[in-house]
Amino acid sequence: MMIVVSYDVSTTSAAGRKRLRKIAKECTNFGSRVQQSVFECHLDPTQWATLKLRLLGLFKAEEDSLRFYFMGSKWRGDVEHHGTKAVPEPDDPLFA
């Protein structure tokens, strides 16, 4: 299934900047960055549960925002991209 993860982390403190880096790193481990704070993650149910648990453990609800968009398994027709920073499809080979 495709899940889009979006976050907004308060960076007014050193702790917030550290949280931002940790959240970005976790997202990078599970998906592709498509915007500064937006990741597309092609996950199975176990990976999804792991990612969600890790992100909820990192963010601070009083200061940060974390959103998950569930695109399902037939998302290809629902995503349209224009401009720079095209991201490879999740099923594309990593090496040519």
Side-chain angles (χ1 to χ4, degrees), residues 35-52:
Q35 296 284 323
Q36 286 296 94
S37 297
V38 180
F39 285 79
E40 289 179 353
C41 304
H42 192 238
L43 307 170
D44 64 36
T46 301
Q47 291 169 320
W48 160 235
T50 301
L51 175 60
K52 181 179 177 181

Side-chain angles (χ1 to χ4, degrees):
M1 74 181 126
M2 174 67 75
I3 298 174
V4 176
V5 179
S6 174
Y7 55 85
D8 188 14
V9 177
S10 174
T11 57
T12 57
S13 68
R17 291 186 290 277
K18 186 175 182 179
R19 273 195 322 278
L20 176 65
R21 287 190 300 276
K22 286 183 176 184
I23 289 172
K25 184 173 186 213
E26 280 300 330
C27 290
T28 302
N29 291 335
F30 287 88
S32 299
R33 186 187 297 262
V34 294
Q35 296 284 323
Q36 286 296 94
S37 297
V38 180
F39 285 79
E40 289 179 353
C41 304
H42 192 238
L43 307 170
D44 64 36
T46 301
Q47 291 169 320
W48 160 235
T50 301
L51 175 60
K52 181 179 177 181
L53 186 65
R54 290 181 184 177
L55 293 179
L56 290 175
L58 288 171
F59 98 117
K60 196 170 183 179
E62 304 80 29
E63 298 180 35
D64 307 330
S65 172
L66 183 59
R67 297 178 65 96
F68 303 110
Y69 298 90
F70 301 94
M71 304 298 290
S73 59
K74 297 178 183 183
W75 57 271
R76 280 188 171 76
D78 296 329
V79 176
E80 190 172 314
H81 173 82
H82 301 274
T84 63
K85 298 185 181 183
V87 175
E89 297 292 327
D91 299 334
D92 287 350
L94 295 175
F95 302 100

